[in-house]
Amino acid sequence: MDMLNGKWKIRIIGVLSFGARRFMELKGTIDGIAAKMLSKELQDLELNGLVSRKVLNTKPITVEYDLTEYGHSLKPIIEVIAAWGMQHRDKVIKGMRSQ
């Protein structure tokens, strides 16, 4: 759980599970994340072998991030967590209505 702690890592993995993204694409897709935080989280994910970083030979230089095969192994776990989150939200909303 330490690898996935914080507000952003699961969101980043979720976005990358649909395919490689450039840094600014990631930043634009994940509401509220600052560039500095995104950079830090990507470094952590790369260090743990979940994300790969590829520098493309373009002008200006483009950096692309993608899930590694190991990173893709988290997809079923994240799907279960997301399903639980939806159930929990529904339960809370129903509880609020009954008050």
XYZ file of all heavy atoms in Angstrom:
786
model
N 0.820 -1.200 0.000
C 0.000 0.000 0.000
C 0.862 1.261 0.000
O 0.413 2.289 -0.459
C -0.947 0.012 1.211
C -2.092 -0.972 1.125
S -3.131 -0.830 -0.350
C -3.828 0.767 -0.152
N 2.072 1.136 0.510
C 2.943 2.309 0.551
C 3.240 2.828 -0.852
O 3.335 4.029 -1.067
C 4.246 1.965 1.281
C 5.079 3.194 1.578
O 4.496 4.205 2.020
O 6.296 3.145 1.357
N 3.353 1.913 -1.824
C 3.625 2.331 -3.207
C 2.471 3.129 -3.790
O 2.659 3.945 -4.673
C 3.874 1.117 -4.099
C 5.289 0.643 -4.085
S 5.651 -0.485 -5.428
C 4.466 -1.778 -5.193
N 1.260 2.877 -3.331
C 0.083 3.525 -3.905
C -0.491 4.610 -3.008
O -1.589 5.100 -3.263
C -1.005 2.472 -4.178
C -0.605 1.362 -5.133
C -1.726 0.359 -5.253
C -0.225 1.917 -6.490
N 0.249 4.980 -1.968
C -0.289 5.960 -1.027
C -0.456 7.321 -1.672
O 0.089 7.600 -2.734
C 0.602 6.060 0.216
C 1.929 6.747 -0.069
O 2.339 6.905 -1.213
N 2.614 7.132 0.977
N -1.234 8.141 -1.042
C -1.442 9.494 -1.527
C -2.651 9.608 -2.434
O -3.333 8.647 -2.747
N -2.859 10.813 -2.849
C -4.053 11.181 -3.610
C -3.940 10.886 -5.102
O -4.953 10.709 -5.777
C -4.263 12.684 -3.380
C -5.449 13.294 -4.007
C -5.519 14.764 -3.601
C -6.700 15.458 -4.202
N -6.771 16.861 -3.783
N -2.732 10.808 -5.630
C -2.554 10.869 -7.077
C -2.133 9.583 -7.764
O -2.433 9.390 -8.943
C -1.543 11.960 -7.416
C -1.910 13.284 -6.854
C -1.271 13.945 -5.837
C -2.992 14.124 -7.244
N -1.900 15.129 -5.571
C -2.963 15.275 -6.432
C -3.991 14.013 -8.205
C -3.884 16.299 -6.549
C -4.916 15.039 -8.328
C -4.847 16.158 -7.506
N -1.426 8.705 -7.101
C -0.821 7.561 -7.787
C -1.846 6.662 -8.459
O -1.650 6.241 -9.596
C 0.055 6.764 -6.832
C 1.358 7.490 -6.534
C 2.284 6.669 -5.682
C 3.558 7.445 -5.459
N 3.931 7.575 -4.092
N -2.928 6.360 -7.778
C -3.945 5.494 -8.374
C -4.573 6.187 -9.578
O -4.853 5.547 -10.598
C -4.988 5.057 -7.331
C -4.321 4.088 -6.348
C -6.192 4.407 -7.994
C -5.191 3.609 -5.224
N -4.767 7.491 -9.494
C -5.311 8.233 -10.637
C -4.357 8.191 -11.831
O -4.780 8.014 -12.974
C -5.594 9.680 -10.260
C -6.733 9.823 -9.287
C -6.977 11.273 -9.001
N -7.901 11.431 -7.898
C -8.378 12.584 -7.505
N -8.003 13.693 -8.112
N -9.215 12.650 -6.493
N -3.086 8.366 -11.565
C -2.082 8.323 -12.643
C -2.074 6.939 -13.290
O -2.102 6.827 -14.518
C -0.676 8.692 -12.097
C -0.641 10.154 -11.652
C 0.395 8.410 -13.144
C 0.575 10.532 -10.823
N -2.056 5.904 -12.467
C -2.068 4.535 -12.997
C -3.339 4.296 -13.801
O -3.308 3.685 -14.865
C -1.920 3.510 -11.852
C -0.506 3.603 -11.262
C -2.207 2.091 -12.354
C -0.323 2.854 -9.964
N -4.462 4.803 -13.306
C -5.728 4.654 -14.016
C -5.687 5.270 -15.401
O -6.118 4.655 -16.380
N -5.146 6.464 -15.511
C -5.047 7.136 -16.812
C -4.096 6.375 -17.733
O -4.396 6.132 -18.904
C -4.582 8.603 -16.646
C -4.248 9.233 -17.989
C -5.641 9.428 -15.925
N -2.957 5.961 -17.198
C -1.967 5.259 -18.019
C -2.413 3.852 -18.415
O -1.881 3.281 -19.363
C -0.618 5.199 -17.296
C 0.109 6.540 -17.154
C 1.385 6.368 -16.343
C 0.398 7.157 -18.508
N -3.409 3.319 -17.720
C -3.895 1.981 -18.083
C -4.583 1.984 -19.444
O -4.774 0.946 -20.061
C -4.831 1.428 -17.009
O -6.057 2.120 -17.001
N -4.929 3.184 -19.936
C -5.548 3.306 -21.259
C -4.529 3.585 -22.353
O -4.884 3.725 -23.514
C -6.621 4.404 -21.255
C -7.795 4.056 -20.397
C -7.930 4.602 -19.130
C -8.762 3.165 -20.847
C -9.010 4.271 -18.335
C -9.846 2.827 -20.060
C -9.966 3.390 -18.789
N -3.248 3.704 -21.974
C -2.203 3.922 -22.960
C -1.225 4.994 -22.538
O -1.456 5.730 -21.579
N -0.130 5.069 -23.266
C 0.942 6.030 -22.967
C 0.432 7.458 -23.086
O -0.433 7.757 -23.915
C 2.113 5.809 -23.906
N 0.980 8.334 -22.257
C 0.608 9.747 -22.271
C 1.856 10.603 -22.089
O 2.789 10.221 -21.383
C -0.345 10.095 -21.122
C -1.682 9.408 -21.156
C -2.601 10.075 -22.173
N -3.960 9.619 -22.060
C -4.441 8.502 -22.569
N -3.643 7.689 -23.205
N -5.703 8.171 -22.440
N 1.830 11.755 -22.725
C 2.880 12.744 -22.482
C 2.594 13.442 -21.154
O 1.466 13.422 -20.658
C 2.929 13.751 -23.628
C 3.450 13.124 -24.918
C 3.376 14.076 -26.074
N 1.964 14.302 -26.364
C 1.468 15.410 -26.889
N 2.245 16.404 -27.205
N 0.176 15.535 -27.096
N 3.617 14.068 -20.619
C 3.501 14.715 -19.310
C 2.331 15.690 -19.269
O 1.500 15.642 -18.352
C 4.821 15.436 -18.967
C 4.806 16.061 -17.601
C 5.168 15.316 -16.492
C 4.421 17.379 -17.424
C 5.150 15.885 -15.222
C 4.402 17.956 -16.167
C 4.769 17.207 -15.063
N 2.246 16.577 -20.246
C 1.194 17.596 -20.228
C -0.193 16.990 -20.447
O -1.180 17.510 -19.944
C 1.481 18.699 -21.250
C 2.671 19.573 -20.870
S 2.589 20.275 -19.197
C 1.288 21.478 -19.404
N -0.264 15.877 -21.170
C -1.543 15.174 -21.313
C -1.990 14.640 -19.957
O -3.173 14.753 -19.597
C -1.421 14.003 -22.286
C -1.329 14.385 -23.735
C -1.142 13.165 -24.626
O -0.269 12.331 -24.337
O -1.895 13.061 -25.608
N -1.055 14.059 -19.219
C -1.375 13.564 -17.888
C -1.847 14.705 -16.991
O -2.858 14.590 -16.304
C -0.159 12.900 -17.246
C 0.125 11.474 -17.639
C 1.498 11.041 -17.130
C -0.947 10.540 -17.119
N -1.100 15.799 -17.013
C -1.443 16.939 -16.170
C -2.837 17.460 -16.502
O -3.616 17.797 -15.621
C -0.412 18.050 -16.319
C -0.625 19.192 -15.340
C 0.466 20.220 -15.466
C 0.212 21.421 -14.584
N -1.137 21.947 -14.636
N -3.177 17.507 -17.787
C -4.487 17.988 -18.197
C -5.619 17.026 -17.886
O -6.766 17.432 -17.701
N -5.303 15.752 -17.807
C -6.321 14.736 -17.556
C -6.650 14.595 -16.075
O -7.776 14.277 -15.714
C -5.833 13.367 -18.099
O -5.518 13.510 -19.474
C -6.875 12.295 -17.940
N -5.674 14.851 -15.225
C -5.850 14.662 -13.782
C -6.111 16.018 -13.139
O -5.183 16.806 -12.916
C -4.616 13.972 -13.167
C -4.375 12.638 -13.871
C -4.803 13.786 -11.674
C -3.054 11.990 -13.544
N -7.375 16.291 -12.873
C -7.777 17.587 -12.305
C -7.088 17.871 -10.976
O -7.081 17.022 -10.084
C -9.291 17.629 -12.075
C -10.067 17.932 -13.332
O -9.452 18.385 -14.308
O -11.291 17.726 -13.324
N -6.524 19.060 -10.876
C -5.997 19.543 -9.611
C -4.558 19.203 -9.304
O -4.016 19.691 -8.318
N -3.909 18.384 -10.109
C -2.525 18.014 -9.803
C -1.571 19.081 -10.345
O -1.721 19.556 -11.468
C -2.166 16.613 -10.350
C -0.836 16.126 -9.745
C -2.136 16.596 -11.867
C -0.555 14.655 -9.947
N -0.626 19.463 -9.514
C 0.396 20.433 -9.927
C 1.505 19.704 -10.676
O 1.746 18.510 -10.451
C 0.968 21.136 -8.694
N 2.176 20.409 -11.552
C 3.253 19.811 -12.354
C 4.341 19.211 -11.459
O 4.835 18.111 -11.723
C 3.845 20.851 -13.295
N 4.694 19.915 -10.404
C 5.740 19.432 -9.500
C 5.310 18.121 -8.829
O 6.104 17.190 -8.701
C 6.041 20.508 -8.455
C 7.216 20.207 -7.571
C 7.522 21.396 -6.669
C 8.718 21.135 -5.793
N 9.051 22.290 -4.956
N 4.063 18.045 -8.405
C 3.551 16.833 -7.766
C 3.474 15.675 -8.768
O 3.836 14.542 -8.455
C 2.177 17.093 -7.151
C 1.555 15.865 -6.501
S 2.555 15.123 -5.194
C 2.316 16.308 -3.885
N 3.005 15.966 -9.976
C 2.931 14.934 -11.011
C 4.322 14.375 -11.293
O 4.512 13.165 -11.374
C 2.303 15.492 -12.287
C 2.223 14.537 -13.476
C 1.456 13.270 -13.121
C 1.601 15.239 -14.671
N 5.292 15.251 -11.404
C 6.670 14.831 -11.652
C 7.174 13.928 -10.530
O 7.770 12.877 -10.782
C 7.558 16.062 -11.788
O 8.885 15.692 -12.007
N 6.922 14.313 -9.283
C 7.349 13.518 -8.126
C 6.679 12.155 -8.122
O 7.324 11.130 -7.912
C 7.039 14.257 -6.834
C 7.426 13.507 -5.577
C 6.737 14.117 -4.361
C 6.800 13.238 -3.142
N 6.193 11.927 -3.286
N 5.374 12.126 -8.356
C 4.637 10.868 -8.335
C 5.097 9.938 -9.471
O 5.239 8.738 -9.272
C 3.133 11.120 -8.436
C 2.550 11.907 -7.270
C 2.505 11.136 -5.963
O 3.563 10.663 -5.491
O 1.414 11.006 -5.412
N 5.343 10.499 -10.645
C 5.838 9.692 -11.764
C 7.212 9.110 -11.453
O 7.495 7.960 -11.779
C 5.870 10.522 -13.048
C 4.509 10.799 -13.675
C 4.619 11.898 -14.723
C 3.902 9.535 -14.263
N 8.061 9.898 -10.808
C 9.383 9.402 -10.413
C 9.250 8.236 -9.443
O 9.951 7.228 -9.571
C 10.218 10.510 -9.784
C 10.743 11.514 -10.772
C 11.461 12.678 -10.103
O 11.545 12.761 -8.877
N 11.974 13.587 -10.916
N 8.347 8.370 -8.463
C 8.123 7.290 -7.498
C 7.622 6.020 -8.195
O 8.072 4.920 -7.907
C 7.101 7.705 -6.431
C 7.649 8.690 -5.420
O 8.877 8.921 -5.403
O 6.835 9.234 -4.645
N 6.664 6.204 -9.098
C 6.103 5.058 -9.811
C 7.157 4.398 -10.702
O 7.195 3.170 -10.825
C 4.887 5.488 -10.627
C 3.651 5.877 -9.804
C 2.614 6.556 -10.686
C 3.064 4.670 -9.097
N 8.011 5.212 -11.304
C 9.087 4.676 -12.137
C 10.102 3.919 -11.273
O 10.538 2.827 -11.633
C 9.770 5.806 -12.905
C 10.799 5.338 -13.890
C 11.483 6.461 -14.643
O 11.276 7.652 -14.320
O 12.251 6.144 -15.569
N 10.443 4.485 -10.146
C 11.393 3.860 -9.226
C 10.896 2.491 -8.766
O 11.682 1.558 -8.590
C 11.614 4.774 -8.012
C 12.654 4.344 -7.006
C 14.044 4.490 -7.606
C 12.548 5.173 -5.743
N 9.592 2.351 -8.617
C 8.999 1.088 -8.174
C 8.658 0.144 -9.321
O 8.028 -0.898 -9.111
C 7.754 1.366 -7.322
C 8.124 1.842 -5.941
O 8.714 1.095 -5.174
N 7.821 3.090 -5.632
N 9.039 0.508 -10.539
C 8.864 -0.378 -11.683
C 7.457 -0.441 -12.248
O 7.138 -1.342 -13.007
N 6.616 0.534 -11.889
C 5.230 0.520 -12.361
C 5.039 1.341 -13.633
O 4.119 1.083 -14.403
C 4.300 1.060 -11.270
C 4.315 0.271 -9.962
C 3.515 0.994 -8.897
C 3.801 -1.129 -10.177
N 5.894 2.329 -13.835
C 5.783 3.245 -14.972
C 7.131 3.307 -15.685
O 8.183 3.287 -15.049
C 5.365 4.660 -14.489
C 5.486 5.691 -15.581
C 3.939 4.635 -13.951
N 7.075 3.374 -17.016
C 8.296 3.589 -17.794
C 8.264 5.000 -18.378
O 7.195 5.548 -18.649
C 8.415 2.558 -18.912
O 7.375 2.717 -19.846
N 9.441 5.551 -18.529
C 9.601 6.914 -19.050
C 10.425 6.819 -20.327
O 11.498 6.227 -20.325
C 10.328 7.755 -18.006
C 10.600 9.167 -18.395
C 11.357 9.852 -17.240
N 11.507 11.253 -17.463
C 12.547 11.816 -18.048
N 13.556 11.078 -18.471
N 12.595 13.121 -18.208
N 9.889 7.410 -21.413
C 10.603 7.377 -22.686
C 10.772 8.812 -23.192
O 9.801 9.549 -23.308
C 9.816 6.556 -23.715
C 10.556 6.423 -25.017
C 9.929 5.580 -26.114
C 8.577 5.030 -25.940
N 8.050 4.365 -27.135
N 12.017 9.195 -23.463
C 12.313 10.507 -24.023
C 12.310 10.361 -25.540
O 13.095 9.586 -26.096
C 13.666 11.047 -23.513
C 13.966 12.398 -24.143
C 13.673 11.142 -21.994
N 11.418 11.092 -26.192
C 11.297 11.015 -27.645
C 12.184 12.058 -28.295
O 12.348 13.166 -27.773
C 9.842 11.223 -28.060
C 8.840 10.255 -27.425
C 7.417 10.646 -27.800
C 9.124 8.835 -27.836
N 12.752 11.741 -29.441
C 13.666 12.627 -30.142
C 12.864 13.625 -30.987
O 12.784 13.507 -32.202
C 14.620 11.799 -31.011
C 15.742 12.634 -31.558
O 15.984 13.749 -31.092
N 16.428 12.117 -32.559
N 12.254 14.581 -30.318
C 11.469 15.617 -30.984
C 11.992 16.976 -30.541
O 12.771 17.073 -29.608
C 9.976 15.498 -30.615
O 9.840 15.614 -29.187
C 9.391 14.182 -31.075
N 11.542 18.006 -31.210
C 11.896 19.370 -30.804
C 10.612 20.125 -30.562
O 9.816 20.277 -31.477
C 12.720 20.059 -31.886
C 14.056 19.408 -32.034
C 15.003 20.265 -32.814
C 16.258 19.451 -32.991
N 17.452 20.047 -33.047
N 10.340 20.594 -29.362
C 11.114 20.330 -28.141
C 11.001 18.860 -27.735
O 10.114 18.147 -28.187
C 10.466 21.237 -27.102
C 9.065 21.423 -27.575
C 9.129 21.370 -29.079
N 11.894 18.461 -26.860
C 11.919 17.067 -26.402
C 10.594 16.726 -25.743
O 10.041 17.504 -24.971
C 13.092 16.839 -25.431
C 14.407 16.923 -26.200
C 12.966 15.504 -24.717
C 15.636 16.807 -25.341
N 10.078 15.556 -26.078
C 8.827 15.077 -25.513
C 9.116 13.876 -24.626
O 9.904 13.007 -24.999
C 7.861 14.641 -26.638
O 7.693 15.725 -27.544
C 6.520 14.230 -26.093
N 8.493 13.843 -23.463
C 8.640 12.708 -22.553
C 7.289 12.013 -22.468
O 6.261 12.647 -22.256
C 9.111 13.158 -21.159
C 9.237 11.961 -20.225
C 10.439 13.891 -21.256
N 7.321 10.703 -22.653
C 6.101 9.909 -22.652
C 6.180 8.880 -21.528
O 7.229 8.289 -21.290
C 5.970 9.208 -24.001
C 4.665 8.520 -24.237
C 4.607 7.956 -25.646
O 5.193 6.881 -25.874
O 3.993 8.610 -26.500
N 5.063 8.695 -20.846
C 4.988 7.740 -19.740
C 4.000 6.648 -20.099
O 2.976 6.900 -20.736
C 4.543 8.448 -18.457
C 5.546 9.462 -17.987
C 5.478 10.781 -18.421
C 6.584 9.101 -17.134
C 6.419 11.714 -18.006
C 7.528 10.025 -16.725
C 7.435 11.331 -17.156
O 8.365 12.246 -16.760
N 4.312 5.439 -19.647
C 3.441 4.300 -19.906
C 3.559 3.334 -18.732
O 4.568 3.335 -18.015
C 3.863 3.599 -21.201
C 2.767 2.753 -21.813
O 1.647 2.697 -21.256
O 3.033 2.139 -22.856
N 2.539 2.512 -18.550
C 2.615 1.479 -17.528
C 3.521 0.361 -18.020
O 3.490 -0.005 -19.194
C 1.236 0.890 -17.237
C 0.276 1.712 -16.398
C -1.010 0.928 -16.173
C 0.875 2.114 -15.075
N 4.297 -0.173 -17.138
C 5.074 -1.362 -17.440
C 4.135 -2.570 -17.354
O 2.983 -2.449 -16.920
C 6.216 -1.537 -16.424
O 5.637 -1.705 -15.124
C 7.170 -0.358 -16.429
N 4.631 -3.715 -17.743
C 3.835 -4.941 -17.594
C 3.471 -5.135 -16.115
O 2.349 -5.509 -15.776
C 4.631 -6.134 -18.117
C 3.833 -7.408 -18.183
C 4.606 -8.548 -18.818
O 5.406 -8.296 -19.743
O 4.395 -9.688 -18.380
N 4.429 -4.860 -15.253
C 4.191 -4.957 -13.806
C 3.122 -3.950 -13.372
O 2.254 -4.272 -12.560
C 5.514 -4.714 -13.074
C 5.458 -4.882 -11.578
C 4.937 -6.032 -10.998
C 5.951 -3.891 -10.744
C 4.903 -6.184 -9.626
C 5.925 -4.038 -9.364
C 5.401 -5.185 -8.809
O 5.369 -5.335 -7.451
N 3.163 -2.760 -13.920
C 2.150 -1.747 -13.610
C 0.756 -2.185 -14.040
O -0.231 -1.944 -13.335
N 0.679 -2.845 -15.178
C -0.616 -3.345 -15.656
C -1.191 -4.404 -14.716
O -2.402 -4.600 -14.676
C -0.500 -3.912 -17.075
C -0.551 -2.862 -18.137
N -1.719 -2.227 -18.502
C 0.424 -2.325 -18.901
C -1.462 -1.358 -19.461
N -0.161 -1.391 -19.715
N -0.347 -5.066 -13.943
C -0.842 -6.083 -13.005
C -1.688 -5.457 -11.893
O -2.433 -6.160 -11.216
C 0.321 -6.888 -12.407
O 1.075 -6.104 -11.495
N -1.608 -4.141 -11.720
C -2.421 -3.449 -10.716
C -3.842 -3.163 -11.185
O -4.709 -2.855 -10.374
C -1.768 -2.113 -10.338
C -0.593 -2.189 -9.403
C 0.092 -0.829 -9.317
C -1.029 -2.641 -8.028
N -4.074 -3.253 -12.477
C -5.385 -2.877 -13.020
C -6.552 -3.598 -12.335
O -7.517 -2.950 -11.935
C -5.401 -3.087 -14.534
C -6.592 -2.462 -15.199
C -6.499 -2.541 -16.711
C -7.721 -1.894 -17.323
N -7.712 -1.945 -18.758
N -6.512 -4.932 -12.156
C -7.642 -5.586 -11.482
C -7.850 -5.089 -10.050
O -8.987 -4.959 -9.586
C -7.265 -7.075 -11.483
C -6.164 -7.227 -12.451
C -5.508 -5.896 -12.604
N -6.762 -4.788 -9.365
C -6.856 -4.294 -7.992
C -7.523 -2.926 -7.972
O -8.411 -2.659 -7.159
C -5.446 -4.235 -7.347
C -4.870 -5.639 -7.235
C -5.479 -3.540 -5.998
C -3.396 -5.694 -6.972
N -7.132 -2.060 -8.887
C -7.708 -0.714 -8.958
C -9.181 -0.785 -9.344
O -9.998 -0.028 -8.819
C -6.889 0.170 -9.917
C -5.512 0.440 -9.294
C -7.609 1.468 -10.228
C -4.533 1.125 -10.182
N -9.533 -1.717 -10.226
C -10.944 -1.875 -10.602
C -11.788 -2.282 -9.398
O -12.897 -1.779 -9.210
C -11.085 -2.888 -11.735
C -10.583 -2.361 -13.067
C -10.515 -3.410 -14.161
O -10.704 -4.624 -13.869
O -10.265 -3.024 -15.309
N -11.266 -3.179 -8.561
C -11.992 -3.597 -7.361
C -12.133 -2.428 -6.381
O -13.208 -2.203 -5.812
C -11.292 -4.805 -6.682
C -11.870 -5.079 -5.307
C -11.396 -6.037 -7.564
N -11.073 -1.659 -6.212
C -11.136 -0.490 -5.323
C -12.154 0.522 -5.847
O -12.942 1.077 -5.080
C -9.741 0.159 -5.171
C -8.816 -0.767 -4.377
C -9.839 1.524 -4.497
C -7.358 -0.342 -4.367
N -12.173 0.742 -7.155
C -13.136 1.676 -7.758
C -14.566 1.189 -7.554
O -15.459 1.978 -7.222
C -12.832 1.859 -9.242
N -14.800 -0.098 -7.735
C -16.142 -0.655 -7.535
C -16.575 -0.489 -6.081
O -17.727 -0.119 -5.797
C -16.167 -2.129 -7.942
N -15.657 -0.739 -5.148
C -15.976 -0.550 -3.737
C -16.301 0.920 -3.463
O -17.248 1.231 -2.737
C -14.814 -1.002 -2.848
C -15.155 -0.828 -1.398
C -15.774 -1.726 -0.592
C -14.914 0.342 -0.600
N -15.940 -1.186 0.660
C -15.420 0.074 0.685
C -14.332 1.581 -0.842
C -15.353 1.002 1.726
C -14.269 2.510 0.180
C -14.769 2.220 1.452
N -15.547 1.815 -4.065
C -15.787 3.249 -3.876
C -17.171 3.662 -4.356
O -17.857 4.464 -3.711
N -17.617 3.103 -5.468
C -18.958 3.403 -5.986
C -20.019 2.877 -5.027
O -21.000 3.557 -4.729
C -19.138 2.784 -7.367
C -18.139 3.267 -8.374
S -18.604 4.780 -9.144
C -19.460 4.127 -10.544
N -19.826 1.657 -4.521
C -20.764 1.081 -3.549
C -20.829 1.950 -2.299
O -21.907 2.222 -1.773
C -20.312 -0.313 -3.113
C -20.773 -1.437 -3.964
C -20.309 -2.760 -3.365
O -19.149 -2.906 -2.978
N -21.216 -3.718 -3.302
N -19.669 2.356 -1.827
C -19.602 3.178 -0.621
C -20.321 4.506 -0.826
O -21.083 4.943 0.037
C -18.141 3.411 -0.222
C -17.991 4.293 0.963
N -18.373 3.904 2.230
C -17.525 5.559 1.082
C -18.145 4.891 3.075
N -17.621 5.907 2.399
N -20.088 5.130 -1.965
C -20.753 6.402 -2.258
C -22.271 6.224 -2.276
O -22.999 7.021 -1.695
C -20.270 6.960 -3.590
C -20.860 8.344 -3.895
C -20.426 8.856 -5.213
N -20.986 7.979 -6.247
C -20.600 7.957 -7.498
N -19.625 8.735 -7.897
N -21.154 7.157 -8.370
N -22.748 5.164 -2.921
C -24.187 4.895 -2.955
C -24.746 4.692 -1.550
O -25.819 5.195 -1.221
C -24.498 3.677 -3.820
C -24.256 3.917 -5.300
O -24.120 5.105 -5.706
O -24.184 2.930 -6.055
N -24.014 3.968 -0.716
C -24.443 3.719 0.661
C -24.540 5.028 1.439
O -25.506 5.257 2.168
C -23.476 2.761 1.344
C -23.844 2.441 2.771
C -22.850 1.495 3.394
C -23.241 1.320 4.851
N -22.456 0.363 5.541
N -23.550 5.881 1.288
C -23.543 7.162 1.998
C -24.714 8.030 1.528
O -25.413 8.643 2.340
C -22.191 7.891 1.809
C -22.258 9.328 2.291
C -21.084 7.134 2.518
N -24.938 8.074 0.220
C -26.035 8.873 -0.322
C -27.375 8.347 0.181
O -28.241 9.136 0.599
C -25.993 8.896 -1.869
C -24.794 9.726 -2.332
C -27.290 9.449 -2.457
C -24.495 9.629 -3.812
N -27.567 7.027 0.199
C -28.818 6.443 0.699
C -28.985 6.768 2.181
O -30.092 7.042 2.646
C -28.840 4.943 0.476
C -29.078 4.552 -0.953
C -29.022 3.052 -1.138
C -29.130 2.711 -2.613
N -28.926 1.283 -2.876
N -27.893 6.724 2.921
C -27.933 7.058 4.355
C -28.337 8.502 4.592
O -29.071 8.818 5.523
N -27.892 9.402 3.739
C -28.226 10.821 3.861
C -29.707 11.049 3.547
O -30.343 11.891 4.158
C -27.344 11.664 2.946
C -25.884 11.687 3.368
S -24.790 12.459 2.166
C -25.360 14.145 2.223
N -30.233 10.305 2.598
C -31.639 10.448 2.207
C -32.575 9.963 3.303
O -33.666 10.474 3.469
C -31.916 9.674 0.936
C -31.340 10.312 -0.293
C -31.716 9.543 -1.520
N -31.002 10.054 -2.677
C -30.703 9.328 -3.732
N -31.074 8.064 -3.803
N -30.041 9.861 -4.724
N -32.130 8.957 4.050
C -33.010 8.381 5.081
C -33.031 9.204 6.360
O -33.816 8.926 7.250
C -32.600 6.940 5.386
O -31.315 6.913 5.963
N -32.202 10.205 6.452
C -32.161 11.040 7.680
C -33.215 12.107 7.658
O -33.683 12.641 6.794
C -30.785 11.690 7.840
C -29.740 10.679 8.165
C -28.348 11.337 8.310
O -28.151 12.511 8.029
N -27.400 10.532 8.742
